[in-house]
Amino acid sequence: MNRPPGDDRLKINVTSLLAEPAGSRRDYALADLRLDLADLVAAAPIDVLVRLTRTNRGLVLDGGATTTLAGTCSRCLKPAATPIDVAIDEELLPSVDLASGQAVDTTEEPDALRLTDHHEVDLEPLVREAILLAEPIAPLCRPDCPGLCPVCGLELEIGAHDHEDGPIDPRLEALRAFRVDEKPGTG
């Protein structure tokens, strides 16, 4: 089932976990997620498996996400599917005190990740960022892809690519007569 970006399953209410003692845990498995990944295209749904552990300050989230990204092979320009398996390890602090309902002072740790005002963990930005950071710089259709011939542009695995030497720049013509002396130490 295709769900739109902003899937509510990515928001996990942790009110009951925050009321429990430190060390309490909950595991969450979310399958068949679809996210807007900006310029990336997911070739398969995203699966997320996380564990939330209560600490004396908030929650520790550890787990990961898996998917497959669709792209173009950087060597042969064929379609390429790149499996992605990312780890997510974060500490999340409350933005609202559970007992009083008052906003928590965030000036001491302004860059800390926070739970929503409704005591929810929003996994969407965490999963999206982890996948975007795992995007391969040069995706390959397979690890041993030979690529394309730089002269004719045909695939190198098709067969031999013997091409005549092209014209040499006249400024470099003098180098054609250059020969290396085979005796060691004579230059």
Side-chain angles (χ1 to χ4, degrees):
M1 177 173 163
N2 289 342
R3 294 180 190 246
D7 193 335
D8 287 338
R9 296 180 297 159
L10 288 166
K11 288 189 179 176
I12 300 171
N13 190 307
V14 292
T15 306
S16 63
L17 182 59
L18 290 172
E20 293 184 17
S24 300
R25 298 178 175 187
R26 299 277 192 290
D27 292 332
Y28 298 90
L30 306 168
D32 298 326
L33 298 171
R34 299 275 180 193
L35 293 179
D36 177 17
L37 297 174
D39 294 335
L40 299 180
V41 177
I46 301 166
D47 295 331
V48 176
L49 179 62
V50 294
R51 170 174 282 168
L52 295 171
T53 305
R54 176 73 165 108
T55 67
N56 60 346
R57 292 172 28 105
L59 299 172
V60 171
L61 179 148
D62 63 81
T66 59
T67 190
T68 301
L69 296 178
T72 303
C73 179
S74 62
R75 291 184 188 162
C76 71
L77 305 178
K78 288 181 179 177
T82 306
I84 300 291
D85 187 5
V86 295
I88 303 170
D89 296 310
E90 299 288 348
E91 180 183 32
L92 299 145
L93 302 177
S95 56
V96 175
D97 182 76
L98 187 64
S100 68
Q102 299 296 315
V104 174
D105 179 23
T106 60
T107 57
E108 288 185 27
E109 296 180 87
D111 297 332
L113 293 176
R114 299 281 174 179
L115 300 172
T116 68
D117 291 346
H118 301 288
H119 306 293
E120 295 173 326
V121 175
D122 189 0
L123 292 174
E124 185 171 347
L126 300 174
V127 171
R128 179 182 297 111
E129 181 179 318
I131 291 172
L132 292 174
L133 289 173
E135 173 192 11
I137 293 172
L140 299 175
C141 60
R142 62 179 205 265
D144 62 340
C145 177
L148 302 175
C149 176
V151 176
C152 68
L154 294 176
E155 294 179 32
L156 288 173
E157 67 183 12
I158 289 177
H161 287 267
D162 294 329
H163 302 286
E164 293 181 16
D165 291 338
I168 293 180
D169 185 327
R171 296 171 290 180
L172 301 174
E173 188 64 41
L175 292 176
R176 190 183 294 266
F178 180 71
R179 300 286 182 250
V180 177
D181 189 1
E182 296 291 328
K183 295 179 187 174
T186 60

